[in-house]
Structure formats: structure tokens, C-alpha cells
Amino acid sequence: EDKHRRLGGDLKTRSTELVSAVTGSSLTAALPASTSVKKSVVLLSETWKELAKQATVTKEERRAQLDERHRYLISRLADGIGLSEQQVEEAIVSDDKFQLIEQFFAPNGLKKLLFFYQDVLQQKSSASLGPDGSMNSLLHKKLFVTMGSTEDFTGTCAFFLRTSDKAVTASNVSQEMNFGIFDCSYGNILQGLEFFLSQIMIPALKSQQNWGAMKGGLKNSQIQDFLYSVDTFVGTLSSSRQNIEDKIQLTKVDVDTYLSNLQNPSDYITAG
């Protein structure tokens, strides 16, 4: 009987220590486990509210920094992706990588600025906390700034490219950058790239009259070679995509059936 009492006491003590470690508070061994869980939920909820409060302050500070350059980006993104300008603005001021926009505007700054619009795993609000204090997650379509190297690309990519090293200002924003969209829904990157090149870039290039220092326009042999190379690349890209989509499906083979017929060394030699 004494042994059972000691065992029960040890389990109760360990349970209390575990809850104390999770909540970061000093709980006594006499505190019921149900009370500990409730206290943990309250602490998590309060922490969530405090973080939300700080995020709101940060968002409003960023919103106050928006100028004509940001408005230009917001307008292009809204038109290209199919969102309202209010939705795009909210996404931008809420983004952890907001500083990348400023680095893109700076003289000799970033050469590209990427936005992904796709499904991401997002936690529900603190109001949706489960009885044990856990947070449920769900897929949610989101617009966010990215460098393009840390997140998997599965949706739509909107990109801005710098055309010079000049500082981007309110007066030159429309001249100093190019804007484009890759629609790679469900991760179909090859198909998205093929469509972008064949339906947008190549027609634009073939209709272009001014090629800068290159004289003769489309009659110039170097320009013709360049356009031929782009056409060839798109053809290769299309073939590669079709080969991947029509990949060979291997049939599962029951190896045990073949092995069961091998009785002696000569059978193995014949099978080889």
C-alpha cells in the first residue's frame, strides 16, 4: 500500500512539474491538473492578444510610410492578381518582409521584388483555442513578399524587376521597373513559364520596333537569331512538360511468386 501511495505521489508531482514548465509559472504540487491546463490556456490567450496588439501598432506605422511608390505596386498587384487595393495594402503592411520593399526602392537596391499568392498553412485566432490550449491550422490563400528561395511556389507569382540602379522615386516609379505575372496554379511551374513566354513575352518582342542600339529592328540578323532561340527554348520546354505529364507508369510485380520457384542453385543461374 505504501508503494502505491509513493507511485501515485510521484506521478502527480511529475504532472505538476510538466505543466509548470509549459506555462512558465511556479505551481505547487497541490494544484489540480485541470486548473493547470486552464491557467495554461489563459496564459496562451493573453500572450496571443499582446502579440496581436503589437502587430497592430507595427501595421499602422508601416501604413503611415506608404507613398506613391507603394501605391503603384499595390495598384499593379491588385490588377494582376485580381484582389482589391485594400486587400493588397493590408497584406503588405502585415508582412514580416516589409523591409524588402524599401530595399528594392533604394539606389543600387534589390534587382527583384517577388510576391506569392497561394495557399499557406495559417493558425486560427486565439478565440479558436481547443480545450487543451492547442491551436488548429487551416489552408488560407495569402499574398506575401518573398525572396523566392525559402517557400515552395505553388500558386501565382507577381514580380517587379529594376531596369537601372537609380533610386525609385514617386516621379520615376513607372519607368524604373517592369511588372509581370507567373500563373503556376497547383505547382505547374513549367506550364506557367511556357504560357508566359509563348503568349506574352514572344508576341511582345516580335511587335517591338525600338531595340535600342540594335539597328534595323526585326530585320537585324542578331535579333532574328535571338527570337529563334527563344522560340526553340519554348518548344523544348513544351516537349519536356509533355514528357513529364505522360510519364511511364511501372506495374507492381509480385516478386515472391518468382522467388518461390527458385529451389536450387541452377534455378538461380537460369533466372539470371
Side-chain angles (χ1 to χ4, degrees):
E1 184 177 353
D2 290 340
K3 181 178 179 181
H4 287 299
R5 287 178 180 174
R6 288 195 300 273
L7 181 58
D10 290 341
L11 290 175
K12 186 175 182 180
T13 301
R14 290 176 184 174
S15 175
T16 303
E17 290 173 351
L18 178 60
V19 173
S20 299
V22 172
T23 60
S25 59
S26 177
L27 302 178
T28 63
L31 190 61
S34 60
T35 303
S36 301
V37 172
K38 290 179 180 178
K39 186 170 184 178
S40 176
V41 172
V42 171
L43 288 172
L44 285 171
S45 180
E46 291 301 322
T47 301
W48 187 272
K49 290 178 180 178
E50 181 60 28
L51 290 174
K53 182 179 178 181
Q54 294 176 7
T56 300
V57 173
T58 302
K59 284 165 56 177
E60 295 311 311
E61 290 175 346
R62 290 172 176 172
R63 206 184 306 274
Q65 298 175 27
L66 301 183
D67 55 31
E68 291 303 314
R69 299 171 302 172
H70 300 87
R71 296 297 172 193
Y72 179 83
L73 298 186
I74 290 171
S75 176
R76 297 286 75 75
L77 289 169
D79 290 341
I81 296 176
L83 298 173
S84 69
E85 293 191 6
Q86 290 75 19
Q87 288 174 308
V88 175
E89 177 182 317
E90 186 65 22
I92 286 178
V93 298
S94 304
D95 203 294
D96 292 337
K97 297 186 177 70
F98 178 83
Q99 73 279 0
L100 292 181
I101 300 176
E102 298 305 315
Q103 294 175 24
F104 180 71
F105 290 154
N108 299 304
L110 295 175
K111 300 301 181 185
K112 65 180 181 181
L113 184 63
L114 305 180
F115 291 83
F116 284 179
Y117 181 60
Q118 61 192 29
D119 286 331
V120 297
L121 199 61
Q122 190 174 50
Q123 290 182 337
K124 293 182 179 179
S125 65
S126 58
S128 301
L129 287 173
D132 59 349
S134 63
M135 296 180 186
N136 296 322
S137 298
L138 72 164
L139 285 176
H140 176 75
K141 216 158 188 68
K142 182 181 179 182
L143 175 68
F144 57 94
V145 186
T146 177
M147 290 297 291
S149 58
T150 54
E151 296 89 1
D152 292 334
F153 178 32
T154 60
T156 300
C157 172
F159 60 88
F160 294 90
L161 303 178
R162 291 278 295 272
T163 59
S164 74
D165 291 329
K166 298 178 183 178
V168 177
T169 66
S171 60
N172 70 8
V173 61
S174 61
Q175 290 81 37
E176 291 301 320
M177 66 179 69
N178 292 319
F179 172 70
I181 292 281
F182 276 135
D183 183 6
C184 302
S185 301
Y186 310 107
N188 296 325
I189 297 178
L190 291 182
Q191 185 174 345
L193 179 58
E194 179 188 340
F195 179 86
F196 177 77
L197 291 175
S198 63
Q199 302 300 316
I200 299 174
M201 289 303 300
I202 291 179
L205 290 171
K206 288 183 176 180
S207 65
Q208 181 168 294
Q209 300 299 319
N210 183 11
W211 288 79
M214 303 292 290
K215 303 302 180 182
L218 295 175
K219 296 180 179 180
N220 185 291
S221 60
Q222 290 180 290
I223 294 176
Q224 290 179 357
D225 290 342
F226 167 70
L227 293 177
Y228 174 78
S229 298
V230 177
D231 275 325
T232 302
F233 174 73
V234 173
T236 303
L237 188 64
S238 178
S239 298
S240 300
R241 177 182 58 80
Q242 292 175 17
N243 290 336
I244 292 174
E245 292 175 352
D246 299 332
K247 58 184 178 296
I248 297 173
Q249 298 291 336
L250 299 179
T251 303
K252 184 178 180 181
V253 177
D254 187 359
V255 180
D256 292 338
T257 302
Y258 293 94
L259 293 179
S260 63
N261 295 325
L262 303 178
Q263 304 296 331
N264 51 60
S266 61
D267 293 334
Y268 284 92
I269 295 174
T270 304

